[in-house]
Structure formats: C-alpha cells, structure tokens
C-alpha cells in the first residue's frame, strides 16, 4: 500500500513568550512569486543572491499573521489572504483553530497596511465579517490614503486599482469598528511605529512586556534573504520607493544595533529572529526553536 501524499504541513502555529504576553506566529501559507515585483536591482543579481542561499528560484513568498494574548485582550496582527488567493493561502483561521482560537475570540485586529494579502482575511466568501467581535486598529495616514478617491491616480503604476476596491470590500462590514492611531501605545504592551514608504501609513507593532520585546513588521521585507542582503531592492508596489528603501535600512540598522527581536509577515515561518550586519548588508538569524513557551 502506498502512503498518501500529504497536502499540507501540520498546524502552522508557533508560540513565544514576551513577558506576560504570548505571541504566536500563525502561518497563512505561501505563494509563487516572481522577481518582476522587485525594483532597484537586476534580476540576475536577484537570482545570484537567492541561489547562493539555496533558496528556490523563482522565489516563493510566505504569509503570516501574529496572535497576541494578554490578560485582557486577544489580538491579531493582519489577517492573511482569506478566500481569494488560491489553495496555498488563506490558512490563518484553520491554524488558529488548531490552537483553540476561533474568530469570535479576537477583540482587536492590528493592521500593518491595507494591501490585500494583509486584510482579505477580514471577510469570508460572502463578504461578511470573519471577526464579528473585533475592532480594527489602523494608522490614520493609511486609512486616509485608501479612503481618498484621488489616491489611485497619485499611485505608481504598480499599485492596482483593485487594491483600493479590495480595501473597501474588506473593511465595509466593520463599519464603525475602525479606530485610527498614530505612533505610540494603542493597548497595553502594544506600541504603533509608523514605517512609511511601502504605503503612507505602513505600521510596525512593537510588543513589550516584562523587559522583553518583539517588533512585528509588515512589508519591511517581502523576500527575506534578498532584501536583507540587498536593502536597496525595492518593490513595484512601494508607494514611495525611496522612502520605503530608507525605512527598510533604518529598521534593519535599528534591529541590528539594538539586538531587537523581530517578526515579519513575509519572513520564513516561524518568523521570529534577529538581524545582524553582514558585509554591506544584513542577515536574518532565526530564533532557536523551542518546544515549550
């Protein structure tokens, strides 16, 4: 008898303790990407950098979300791709269920930015809210940009009109349950840090408790090894390409200098680690896997 080929990995969830908080990486899946989305560096260099690190070419990209649990809140950073991106994505709710969390448990959703791979998980196939009890928390500049009817005409060619339509579709069921924030504390142990460039209100979430911390990034990097090695590698979806590159360099330099633990929506699962300077760029050092939180 031939064993059946598995269709997916076991539960894509991984916990770490940050003081009194539990932060869980929740995998949403992976998808086939292309170097056509990269700007500021030749494709030949992209292939060379990725091949040297034994990474697949063409590249695959990882999608994650992050669950935060405190005494008073159950929060989710981003929601993944939802039901609209094919069979290899949209696994956030499935992986939450594997650790005993249902959407109704989540009271706060912290949005890094309003691109579809980060917010499409807000709604189901019928366009209804998946997280019936959740408040959306988003950077004020981000919400203004995506609500402004003139933004599509002021966006680079790489910013598709459907991103704005998707934003309206994904946020419509949440009505008045959207709270805008600027830099600073947004709930106990969670600090908003604007990291503009990829989008105007692109935001990182700094989690602090008990003398420990982790910075959760959105799209500071899309292709980890490539953009750590070559921080000048931008993407065609960056609203302000120069600012996005400067923000990435600043974020990488701060993480390396301060020995700050980071986690990222597009980092290889389980997505926790540190940054070190290496040559003229940087490198990601994954945190050692632990069986117990």
């Amino acid at each position: 008898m031939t064993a059946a080929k598995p269709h997916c990995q076991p539960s894509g969830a991984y916990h770490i303790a940050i003081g009194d908080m539990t932060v869980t990486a929740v995998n949403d899946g992976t998808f086939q990407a292309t170097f056509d989305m990269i700007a500021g560096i030749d494709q030949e260099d992209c292939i060379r950098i990725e091949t040297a690190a034994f990474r697949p070419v063409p590249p695959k990209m990882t999608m994650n979300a992050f669950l935060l649990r405190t005494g008073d809140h159950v929060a989710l950073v981003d929601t993944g791709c939802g039901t609209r991106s094919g069979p290899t994505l949209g696994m956030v709710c499935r992986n939450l269920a594997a650790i005993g969390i249902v959407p109704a448990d989540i009271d706060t959703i912290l949005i890094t930015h309003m691109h579809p791979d980060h917010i499409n998980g807000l709604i189901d196939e019928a366009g209804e809210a998946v997280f019936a009890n959740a408040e959306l928390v988003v950077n004020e500049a981000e919400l203004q940009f995506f609500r402004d009817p003139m933004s599509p005409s002021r966006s680079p060619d790489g910013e598709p009109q459907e991103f704005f339509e998707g934003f309206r579709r994904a946020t419509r069921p949440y009505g008045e349950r959207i709270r805008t924030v600027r830099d600073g504390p947004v709930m106990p142990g969670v600090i908003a840090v604007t990291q503009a460039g990829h989008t105007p209100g692109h935001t990182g979430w700094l989690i602090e408790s008990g003398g420990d911390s982790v910075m959760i990034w959105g799209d500071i990097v899309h292709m980890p090894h490539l953009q750590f090695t070559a921080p000048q590698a931008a993407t065609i979806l960056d609203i302000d390409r120069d600012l996005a590159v400067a923000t990435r360099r600043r974020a990488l330099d701060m993480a390396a200098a301060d020995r700050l633990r980071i986690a990222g929506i597009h980092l290889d699962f389980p997505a926790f680690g540190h940054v070190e300077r290496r040559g003229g760029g940087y490198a990601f050092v994954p945190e050692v896997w632990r069986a117990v939180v």
Side-chain angles (χ1 to χ4, degrees), residues 265-286:
I265 301 300
H266 295 300
L267 295 183
D268 300 322
F269 187 80
F272 295 106
H274 289 82
V275 178
E276 67 175 12
R277 295 186 179 92
R278 186 175 296 176
Y282 301 85
F284 179 65
V285 183

Side-chain angles (χ1 to χ4, degrees), residues 9-221:
Q9 297 284 3
S11 176
Y14 181 75
H15 313 293
I16 66 169
I18 300 294
D20 295 329
M21 302 176 68
T22 300
V23 181
T24 304
V26 184
N27 184 248
D28 191 53
T30 61
F31 67 96
Q32 186 64 66
T34 169
F35 293 129
D36 290 343
M37 69 178 288
I38 297 296
I41 181 173
D42 292 338
Q43 288 208 11
E44 291 79 5
D45 288 331
C46 293
I47 293 170
R48 175 183 55 80
I49 291 169
E50 295 287 87
T51 301
F54 305 99
R55 300 184 69 90
V57 174
K60 288 187 179 292
M61 282 181 57
T62 299
M63 285 300 310
N64 302 303
F66 294 89
L67 184 74
L68 315 177
R69 282 179 280 189
T70 71
D72 299 321
H73 293 282
V74 181
L76 190 64
V77 178
D78 286 356
T79 64
C81 295
T83 62
R84 297 175 177 270
S85 300
T88 65
L89 291 162
M91 301 179 188
V92 162
C93 287
R94 180 193 311 173
N95 286 322
L96 286 173
I99 58 172
I101 299 292
V102 299
D105 294 332
I106 294 169
D107 57 59
T108 308
I109 296 177
L110 307 167
I111 301 295
T112 63
H113 64 296
M114 290 292 190
H115 280 171
D117 52 332
H118 300 258
I119 65 169
N120 275 359
L122 286 169
I123 54 175
D124 60 20
E125 291 184 6
E128 300 296 327
V130 169
F131 303 96
N133 299 319
E135 173 189 55
L136 304 191
V137 179
V138 61
N139 188 293
E140 181 179 71
E142 187 77 358
L143 195 65
Q144 288 178 348
F145 175 76
F146 276 90
R147 280 180 169 172
D148 185 348
M150 298 303 297
S151 288
S153 65
R154 295 195 294 261
S155 299
D157 293 340
E159 190 76 358
Q161 173 66 34
E162 58 261 31
F163 280 20
F164 296 91
E165 296 168 357
F167 154 77
R168 290 189 289 271
R169 184 171 55 247
T171 57
R172 187 177 297 117
Y174 291 84
E176 300 301 316
R177 291 187 286 132
I178 301 177
R179 172 163 60 105
T180 59
V181 297
R182 299 182 182 182
D183 286 0
V186 299
M187 55 186 279
V190 179
I191 299 168
V193 180
T194 301
Q195 296 175 323
H198 182 59
T199 61
H202 183 262
T203 298
W205 301 100
L206 178 62
I207 314 303
E208 294 183 326
S209 177
D212 203 356
S213 61
V214 59
M215 169 66 85
I216 300 177
W217 285 344
D219 285 8
I220 292 294
V221 294

